[in-house]
Amino acid sequence: MAAAKAAGVPANPIGEVTANGKLGVRTARGPLEWDVSVLRVGWETSIETAMKRPGLG
Amino acid sequence: MKRAGLPPNPDPVLNQLVTPELVKKHGLLPDEFEQARRHLGRDLTLTELGIFSVMWSEHCSYKNTRPLLKGFPTEKSGATAEFGRVLVKAGEENAGIIDVGDGWAIAFKIESHNHPSAIEPFEGAATGVGGIIRDIFTMGARPVLLTNSLRFGELDSAATRRLLRGVVAGIAHYGNCVGVPTVGGDIYFDRSYEGNPLVNALCLGTLRHDQIRRGKATGLGNPVYYVGAATGRDGLGGAAFASRELSAESAADRPAVQKGDPFMEKLLIEACLEMMAVPGLVVGIQDMGAAGLTCSTCETASRGGAGIEIELDRVPQREPGMNSYEIMLSESQERMLVIVQAGREGEIEEVFAKWDLHASRVGSVTDTGRMVVRHHGVPVADIPASALTDGAPVYQREARRPAYLDESSRWTPEGAGLADVGIAGAQAALPRLLSHPTIASKRWVYRQYDHMVQHGTVVLPGSDAAVVRLRLGPGEKFIAISNDCNGRYCYLNPRRGAMIAMVECLRNLVCAGATPLAMTDNLNFGNPYKPENFYQLKECVAGLAEACRFFDVPVVGGNVSLYNESPAGAIDPTPTVSVVGFIESEAHITRQFAGSPGGRLILLGGAPSEIGGSQFLGIIHGMKTGDAPAVDLDAEKALQGFLLGQIKAGRVGAAHDLSEGGLLVAVCEMLFGPAPLGAELDLSGLPAPRQDALLFGESQGRPPTSRR
């Protein structure tokens, strides 16, 4: 953080990596939480799922 | 003006009068045709009309873009005698070359195959890969990696799925079979590319400085050889086809799409590199790519300030009865033109016989400055070589700022009455963003590519940049490569969008631990005769040039692809940028994946605060509007310098660029590594005029990092 300040680069600590498989976010409007493995499935399989539908020809 | 001064063509079909209709069908304007006639001092034969039409097409002549491209920096001011010099500049040859130290260099270039891929996705994409590989080994370099940059319509369309399936299969087929790893790329899905996909392929090769070869025909009497595959009727007039808009009738242009043979290309690579390794044997060499035999003969002659005479009967042909028009305009693949030192013909013939490839002496270098083509002993074309190259017309097209920019640049979420995202909305938005194909994992795509062949790939596809180990003689070096361009930003603010493409590409390299070295670009735009399209092109080029100069990253080559329009309209302007970076030490290689629990996450650059042009607006609200995110080049340089310094000092465990989808998407992508991880974030203290901008906005220069 000090090095960033010295370089004139804004730097904000925003959290920590955990082992619990959850993404938790505290915001000014309230807390958010997701199961990382669920997010990952949607992210990882979206194109594959779409491509299982028939294309022309 | 005299009638055609050449004797009748041996094929009577080619002796028909060149009418205004034929001229129009060949894509030449009446003024251009008159200019061609003035170059010859007589009427053109049909074969000559075909030759002028392909050489003066946008694809070969850059007639609408040459003045713009002069604004790109082509030298690296920070280069030293030992590292970073541009050895072959943009526009000089088939690919640019830059020094990477210790007598070694890299050649790299990106090129488009958009139109062929729209009609025949498999063959179009496959031959795009084959063509760019030839551009690299014709420079004397051994190809060591491929990347690609693809754009499609949305995947809810069956036609788009057909295109994606075919293009990816074509890239995989050619790259995997030829034995060059496809190590990375980028893909976007957006309605503007519906019916006009973009398929840009990049190849990079390595060579020693003394192995650099040029596409020049010099030395009176030196023999001209045709090597590689035989000529067929495939790809006829492909360059001219690529220089007009796609329409409902474009399917009839299937003969303009080439057929590739990667196994033939592999033989050609090995034969050419073996031939070029023989001291003094090769005087000049050029790929027969766009415009085939026509382009390779007149360009080598023009560069060498010489002439070339060829006899088409000596051209290996795989179909009977081909006439001079067909042979000269064929874009059959896996063919090269080689100018050999006179008296050493046996040596080249021996090399190609060993590899079971054609090597046919088709002509010789002359001192006339003319490209003379004979068929069955009769001259069928006689044209000053320079008329086809430097003599091509050059235009300053009219540029007009599109009217939609007034509205989109004034747009604000408050002005539009767009409510900020609440907790429930944010909870629902993140999975939707992550599963949109533009943001989602491209695993389905890159798993079809062999990204490990040659055993040099260190950072695999799926990270910010690919990292490859180059084995150079007894030593080794590491390079990183990344592609970028958010066409949505370029649509909303062409100049700034292009700058973002560049700075984001540089940021990706820095996140991987690399110092950016040089750039190649592929300018994909609509029809330049439409002033609004030309405005987008002009502004994007200006933005790229400014960013390149600011970061001292020279442009060493590239490609222009215009007329990217379907009946629905022009694509979003897409100036694709590919930058190569140099990694000083293996220890500096950094990935985007947070390694282990306990790592502290630090957001550099400040809190995201903009929502304009974001995927959040597009995917959640169905809007493509607002201004592109702001770019502060000074702040970006400070950020990148700081991050690279921290990486080199061993203080960064992971770094990832914040881009499409914003901060939460970026953090998720850091967690989607080999080990199952979570994260606990506290964003409540960050300044945020809007929660949607903080969580999902795409403000530039905000990479989240984790401490080692």
Side-chain angles (χ1 to χ4, degrees), chain B residues 522-642:
Chain B
N522 207 130
L523 304 175
N524 304 280
F525 290 82
N527 184 341
Y529 290 79
K530 299 176 183 172
E532 288 81 2
N533 289 348
F534 195 73
Y535 174 90
Q536 294 174 333
L537 171 59
K538 196 175 169 183
E539 286 293 295
C540 281
V541 169
L544 277 186
E546 185 180 342
C548 286
R549 276 193 300 272
F550 187 86
F551 286 97
D552 191 23
V553 176
V555 180
V556 297
N559 175 243
V560 177
S561 172
L562 306 181
Y563 306 93
N564 288 292
E565 305 209 9
S566 66
I571 60 161
D572 283 351
T574 311
T576 300
V577 168
S578 297
V579 183
V580 174
F582 189 76
I583 299 175
E584 288 171 18
S585 157
E586 189 170 6
H588 299 164
I589 297 171
T590 306
R591 292 166 175 81
Q592 73 183 44
F593 305 114
S596 55
R600 207 169 157 212
L601 291 165
I602 295 170
L603 177 64
L604 297 178
S609 58
E610 299 148 293
I611 198 97
S614 64
Q615 291 293 326
F616 175 79
L617 266 192
I619 295 166
I620 306 300
H621 294 290
M623 302 166 85
K624 186 188 282 186
T625 191
D627 206 346
V631 184
D632 179 337
L633 294 182
D634 289 311
E636 190 72 47
K637 188 179 263 184
L639 169 87
Q640 293 185 16
F642 170 73

Side-chain angles (χ1 to χ4, degrees), chain B residues 316-333:
Chain B
Q317 294 162 47
R318 63 168 185 259
E319 295 181 57
M322 291 184 71
N323 63 34
S324 58
Y325 182 99
E326 293 169 323
I327 297 170
M328 289 305 290
L329 269 64
S330 165
E331 292 188 8
S332 289
Q333 300 289 287

Side-chain angles (χ1 to χ4, degrees), chain A residues 10 12 15 17 24 33 46 51 54, chain B residues 161 165 427 435 598 601 603 605 681:
Chain A
N12 297 94
V17 179
E33 189 177 271
S46 151
M51 293 307 290
Chain B
R161 294 197 294 278
R165 188 173 286 119
Q427 190 74 40
S435 59
L601 291 165
L603 177 64
L681 307 184

Side-chain angles (χ1 to χ4, degrees), chain B residues 165-247:
Chain B
R165 188 173 286 119
V167 165
V168 172
I171 291 171
H173 167 69
Y174 209 101
N176 297 357
C177 292
V178 82
V180 182
T182 302
V183 299
D186 68 324
I187 311 181
Y188 285 72
F189 299 88
D190 185 282
R191 296 259 177 248
S192 83
Y193 304 107
E194 198 92 54
N196 196 130
L198 301 185
V199 178
N200 297 174
L202 176 146
C203 184
L204 180 146
T206 56
L207 71 170
R208 292 196 316 272
H209 294 190
D210 60 5
Q211 291 174 317
I212 295 174
R213 293 291 177 266
R214 303 266 180 175
K216 275 185 186 171
T218 54
L220 180 62
N222 275 337
V224 175
Y225 272 80
Y226 169 117
V227 302
T231 295
R233 290 189 169 92
D234 55 319
L236 269 180
F241 162 59
S243 302
R244 57 179 181 261
E245 290 175 27
L246 292 167
S247 68

Side-chain angles (χ1 to χ4, degrees), chain A residues 3-4 10-12 14-18 22-24 26-27 29-30 32-34 40 43 46 48 50-51 53-54 56, chain B residues 158 161-162 165 421 423 427 435 439-441 443 598-599 601 603 605 642 672-673 678-684 691:
Chain A
N12 297 94
I14 56 170
E16 193 175 295
V17 179
T18 66
K22 303 279 185 194
L23 173 61
R26 187 185 303 170
T27 75
R29 294 192 166 203
L32 295 160
E33 189 177 271
W34 296 269
R40 183 171 186 153
W43 173 79
S46 151
E48 189 173 347
M51 293 307 290
R53 296 159 63 192
L56 296 173
Chain B
R161 294 197 294 278
R162 169 187 165 267
R165 188 173 286 119
V421 71
I423 287 297
Q427 190 74 40
S435 59
I439 295 173
S441 166
R443 192 182 64 152
L601 291 165
L603 177 64
F642 170 73
F672 293 159
E680 204 56 52
L681 307 184
D682 183 355
L683 307 181
S684 60
Q691 285 295 304

Side-chain angles (χ1 to χ4, degrees), chain B residues 301-318:
Chain B
S302 180
R303 282 197 204 105
I308 279 190
E309 284 197 24
I310 56 170
E311 170 54 72
L312 298 184
D313 297 87
R314 296 181 187 165
V315 172
Q317 294 162 47
R318 63 168 185 259

Side-chain angles (χ1 to χ4, degrees), chain B residues 95-318:
Chain B
I97 298 182
I98 191 155
D99 176 21
V100 292
D102 301 320
W104 287 90
I106 54 173
F108 69 108
K109 186 186 175 188
I110 191 167
E111 193 157 272
S112 66
H113 237 211
N114 303 337
H115 286 65
S117 302
I119 304 301
E120 286 277 6
F122 181 90
E123 291 294 351
T127 52
V129 173
I132 197 64
I133 291 175
R134 287 194 299 282
D135 276 340
I136 297 307
F137 73 75
T138 194
M139 300 304 302
R142 176 169 286 281
V144 297
L145 68 85
L146 294 162
T147 71
N148 54 73
S149 184
L150 310 178
R151 301 289 182 274
F152 296 92
E154 296 282 1
L155 278 181
D156 55 9
S157 152
T160 296
R161 294 197 294 278
R162 169 187 165 267
L163 289 171
L164 176 64
R165 188 173 286 119
V167 165
V168 172
I171 291 171
H173 167 69
Y174 209 101
N176 297 357
C177 292
V178 82
V180 182
T182 302
V183 299
D186 68 324
I187 311 181
Y188 285 72
F189 299 88
D190 185 282
R191 296 259 177 248
S192 83
Y193 304 107
E194 198 92 54
N196 196 130
L198 301 185
V199 178
N200 297 174
L202 176 146
C203 184
L204 180 146
T206 56
L207 71 170
R208 292 196 316 272
H209 294 190
D210 60 5
Q211 291 174 317
I212 295 174
R213 293 291 177 266
R214 303 266 180 175
K216 275 185 186 171
T218 54
L220 180 62
N222 275 337
V224 175
Y225 272 80
Y226 169 117
V227 302
T231 295
R233 290 189 169 92
D234 55 319
L236 269 180
F241 162 59
S243 302
R244 57 179 181 261
E245 290 175 27
L246 292 167
S247 68
E249 289 76 42
S250 292
D253 279 323
R254 284 212 170 90
V257 180
Q258 309 84 345
K259 308 275 182 208
D261 179 350
F263 297 107
M264 176 71 79
E265 179 113 330
K266 176 64 177 163
L267 297 176
L268 193 58
I269 293 172
E270 298 306 331
C272 286
L273 292 179
E274 182 175 327
M275 167 188 72
M276 287 189 267
V278 180
L281 176 58
V282 175
V283 174
I285 178 167
Q286 173 140 338
D287 163 39
M288 287 189 217
L293 190 54
T294 290
C295 184
S296 55
T297 48
C298 69
E299 280 194 354
T300 51
S302 180
R303 282 197 204 105
I308 279 190
E309 284 197 24
I310 56 170
E311 170 54 72
L312 298 184
D313 297 87
R314 296 181 187 165
V315 172
Q317 294 162 47
R318 63 168 185 259

